Amino acid sequence: MSLRERLEEIKIEPSLLPNPVRPLEAVDDSHFQQIKTTIHRRLLERVDLEVMSNLPPQKLREEVKGLVERLLVEEDVALNAIERKQIVQDIQHEVLGLGPLEPLLADPTISDILVNTCSQIYVERFGRLERCDVRFASNEHLMKIIDKIVSRIGRRVDESSPMVDARLPDGSRVNAIIPPLAIDGPLLSIRRFAVVPLRMEDLVRNKSITPEMAELVAGMVRARLNVLVSGGTGTGKTTMLNILSSYISHNERIVTIEDAAELQLQQPHVARLETRPPNIEGKGEVTQRELVRNSLRMRPDRIILGEVRGAEVMDMLQAMNTGHEGSMATIHANTPRDALIRLENMMSMAGMAMPPKALRHQVASAITVIVQIVRLSDGKRKMASIQEITGMEGEVVTMQELFTFRQTGIAGDGTVLGHFQATGIRPKFIDRLRAAGVILSDNLFDPGKRYE
């Protein structure tokens, strides 16, 4: 997109920013509108498009700022310093960023941004949703921002394809759905990721996991056990997958497969694959299953599947059983048992003409551990359970729980009360850990220890 096109996309209507000081309310809306219209027109007249298009982003931002400030002086508009600064920021955000969303994206305390049409925006801070004062000028303004996001990665959204998954340059996940499917106007959801990825120490400090549980799951990854991370929406499955992957040796080749690339692996040898939706003619789609099959030809040591949700489950389980030990994936499920049921259902939907017992045996032989993540009513996330798959009894996949989080109540301020506790069961894979050089203390599985 050329600089002129970006400048022409500037919406002249004022966008309200989440600032406790609201200086623009003192200015009549029509007067403020007229000022921005004038500055916008003068900016287009003054800007040297060929020169500025070749500037780096920071230099371009400074040039736009300088031009707008000079134009405000030349027009001799009746605005105070705060209002002038507001106009400069609005135009910078529209030209170079995502308009009214820029202040929210710059706030490190915000984890989710949920836009319900142009006039209603919610954000999640520290696990709790709250409405903010930001708004778009109109639904057309919101649509332009959505188009800007999806066009960056070669995707589209229109009436013929009204739903789209995309991502921001920082890896944040974006979903947009527009009319006619969205009745009242465009809907935009942004799932953000920390600029500095979380580490296991952060989870221990936040009491999302105990030191013993952290030591165990780190050992499982080092010993190349196949791990399935289970949890509901927004529980932090991808974050946990990132943290677990940090324990993979830098000498291994890792292939990641995702619908929208969001994993932030720190290893130097990572091959990242991403699915592709069909084009406007309905052709060219590349599914996760095709990527999983292709990844087997890429000589991976481990395969990490962002989320298993369809026919790719069969190829993933076969890969885990054929030399790609230490692979990991996430799945949407409320309990470890539900995760197994979902795997079986997806295998059946993939068209596998196999009896249920054979399907379950495939799951039991491929996956070693299921890690369950939950998001409690107070917004905190916990590793609620670590369960080992031990095999089959008849036609039932058997599991044994190693660690659990037991909720005991809710405090007056809404905080969830509970404690972590080992069940006292020693896992069958302890010998695999020891063979891999992972030595765990005998006290690690002591059921007498409780962590509030």
Side-chain angles (χ1 to χ4, degrees), residues 76-137:
D76 193 23
V77 294
L79 297 174
N80 60 38
I82 297 178
E83 294 161 354
R84 288 171 181 267
K85 183 178 180 181
Q86 187 75 71
I87 288 181
V88 172
Q89 287 182 343
D90 286 352
I91 295 179
Q92 282 183 320
H93 291 160
E94 291 292 346
V95 175
L96 306 172
L98 300 180
L101 295 178
E102 284 297 314
L104 304 181
L105 293 171
D107 188 342
T109 66
I110 293 177
S111 56
D112 290 340
I113 303 173
L114 309 174
V115 182
N116 302 334
T117 72
C118 63
S119 59
Q120 189 182 76
I121 299 180
Y122 286 85
V123 298
E124 181 187 272
R125 282 190 176 93
F126 309 112
R128 293 184 179 275
L129 287 176
E130 58 185 60
R131 186 169 179 175
C132 64
D133 294 330
V134 175
R135 69 172 175 84
F136 288 84

Side-chain angles (χ1 to χ4, degrees), residues 153 155 165-174 191-193 238 242 256-265 270-277 288 291 304-307 309:
I153 61 170
R155 298 194 177 183
D165 287 317
R167 66 179 184 276
L168 298 180
D170 65 356
S172 297
R173 184 192 313 172
V174 178
R191 307 289 303 280
R192 301 189 63 202
F193 292 91
T238 303
N242 273 321
T256 67
I257 301 169
E258 304 171 83
D259 267 336
E262 49 190 327
L263 289 172
Q264 299 171 299
L265 272 62
V270 179
R272 305 172 70 206
L273 305 180
E274 184 180 48
T275 61
R276 185 177 69 184
Q288 282 200 132
L291 292 180
I304 299 181
L305 192 58
E307 181 183 344
R309 62 177 68 182

Side-chain angles (χ1 to χ4, degrees), residues 124 126-128 234 374-381 414 416:
E124 181 187 272
F126 309 112
R128 293 184 179 275
V374 299
R375 182 173 179 268
L376 304 176
S377 59
D378 59 0
K380 296 179 181 178
R381 284 129 172 129
V416 173

